[in-house]
Amino acid sequence: ETYKSPVSIDGSVIGTVGFARDISERKRTDEHLRMAAEVSRIVFWELDFPTGVITYDRSTLPVLGLENDDNLSSLTEWVERVHPEERGNFVAQVELTNQLGNDIFDHEYRIANRSGDYQWVQTRARIVQRDPNGAPLRSVGTSMNINERKRSEHQLHDHHAHLEEMIERRTVELARAKEAAEAANVAKSAFLANMSHEIRTPMNGILGMAHLLRRGGATPEQSRRLDKIDSAAQHLLGIINNILDISKIEAGKFVIDQAPLNPQILLTNVRSILAERAREKGISLLVNAEALPTDLIGDPTRLQQALLNYATNALKFTENGSVTLRAIALDDGPNAVTLRFEVQDTGIGIAPEALSRLFLAFEQADNSMTRKYGGTGLGLAITRRLASLMGGDAGVESTPGVGSTFWFTARLKHHVSALGAGITMPSDAEDGLRQRHSGRRILVVDDEPINREVVCSQLEAAGLMVDQAEDGAEAIRMANAQRYAAIIMDMQMPNVNGLDATQALRKLPEYSATPIVALTANVFAEDRARCFRAGMNDFIAKPCEPEKLCATLLTWLDRVPAPPLNQ
């Protein structure tokens, strides 16, 4: 590695003296470093600050995407290769590291090879020697190829940007779909409300007129025909009620009431309703109820509806034998009880493959049966959903040719003050009106002449004096001229509707506490709520049975004293 040549006086070489040193280990180390650099894609280097010289194994430059013979032997040359957009920040970071107390340098940047292609590099360094004044003398560090990482980061960033764009686009689509669904739901609700109103209004007239004809005296043949009119009208009313119920349940607008009830009374009521039909078919209609709690709170109307759905179907599909109504207490706790209601028949039974379809809306065990037995296929679907809303379930057990047992469960709370309570309608409500309120003046407000005639005839038969108004505007004028003990108010009318008329009447001192009862074909829960918000005291849905009308009016007239005679 070093030598010295002896020379003569005249300067000619007369011999050579030298020495040799084994550098195999150093070469092996250099090779190992090169191999390590290739594997780790890292270049190890040392920087001499006074001269600016960078010392490193040039054979490792390719791992940074550079060439072996790239002239990068000084810090200045290195800085010149840094991308112009990042050069200023690179130099600033170097100067910051040179300051006393900041020995660590860690920076990502792009550096160019001779072809002008830029490679991403991460350089990490530490100052390992400073002079007595704190100026840096020597630094060691590494430079790593991070092209792949940066490419992945860019791809991830692009993916995120694309994903955000997709999410934003999908959000807009979902928002539009939601708006369309809500608009469709509003349109559906409006259609159902209108359909209900348009059907119930004439139905009230049909049922009311049939009642008045029967009340006025009819021959046996006429009575038989009136019974058929009533039966057909009630069947049509049941269909529209089922359609409205299933729609309200699907829309999440169905509300279960909480009122006192007695399950034994419910079973008895259902038996009474269907007794004549069972007698006509020669079928025994039985009630089998073990000792049941009577201090319960629930929705007696819906429980009775579910039982009627089952029992009506049982009678329909049973030609001989019996239909048994049954209630069993499954678990009776201190706060609530689960009741299982059953309707067992000896009818035609149901094939096993058809059982899974039974509780679907508009389905029957055999749709061809519709031609023979009739029905919409809604009753069982409604029963299962009612049971679910009451914390229970519904199902069926059946054997073809032997019979079926339809069941549903309901979770009902105890109520200690509801001693044997149930939904009862005073059978003598008309007599009560006649005895306690005869001669009191009532105003009936309805834009449908037939409905006014029906209601007026029913109330006059109870001894009341009745005036009529065709709309809310006329009702307000008549109320200002005459004091009424109570007002029967339709909801949907031309000119001034029942809601606006009620609000106007409530502003009159003499009508601040007068009973105002809605009698309307608008039967949705929101319609009921709107009536109460407007100031009405009660709500009756059309078509209305005379007993219901008389009982409701009797309840409110009993609460309000009669006005002085001079009013």
Side-chain angles (χ1 to χ4, degrees), residues 18-84:
F19 64 92
R21 184 172 61 185
D22 188 349
I23 59 171
S24 298
E25 189 63 32
R26 195 190 77 184
K27 288 294 185 180
R28 281 195 295 271
T29 300
D30 290 344
E31 179 62 19
H32 291 165
L33 288 174
R34 187 188 62 78
M35 295 174 61
E38 289 179 356
V39 173
S40 63
R41 304 185 69 78
I42 295 175
V43 173
F44 299 89
W45 51 264
E46 179 179 333
L47 170 63
D48 181 73
F49 278 95
T51 63
V53 174
I54 302 176
T55 303
Y56 57 92
D57 184 351
R58 292 182 180 275
S59 65
T60 61
L61 279 180
V63 303
L64 299 181
L66 305 175
E67 303 296 335
N68 288 344
D69 56 350
D70 268 325
N71 187 22
L72 293 171
S73 59
S74 69
L75 180 59
T76 300
E77 293 168 340
W78 194 277
V79 171
E80 289 176 351
R81 294 286 188 95
V82 176
H83 195 286

Side-chain angles (χ1 to χ4, degrees), residues 5-6 14 25 34 98 112 154 194 430 489:
S5 302
I14 60 174
E25 189 63 32
R34 187 188 62 78
N98 291 348
H154 290 157
N194 289 334
E430 183 177 319
M489 183 77 73

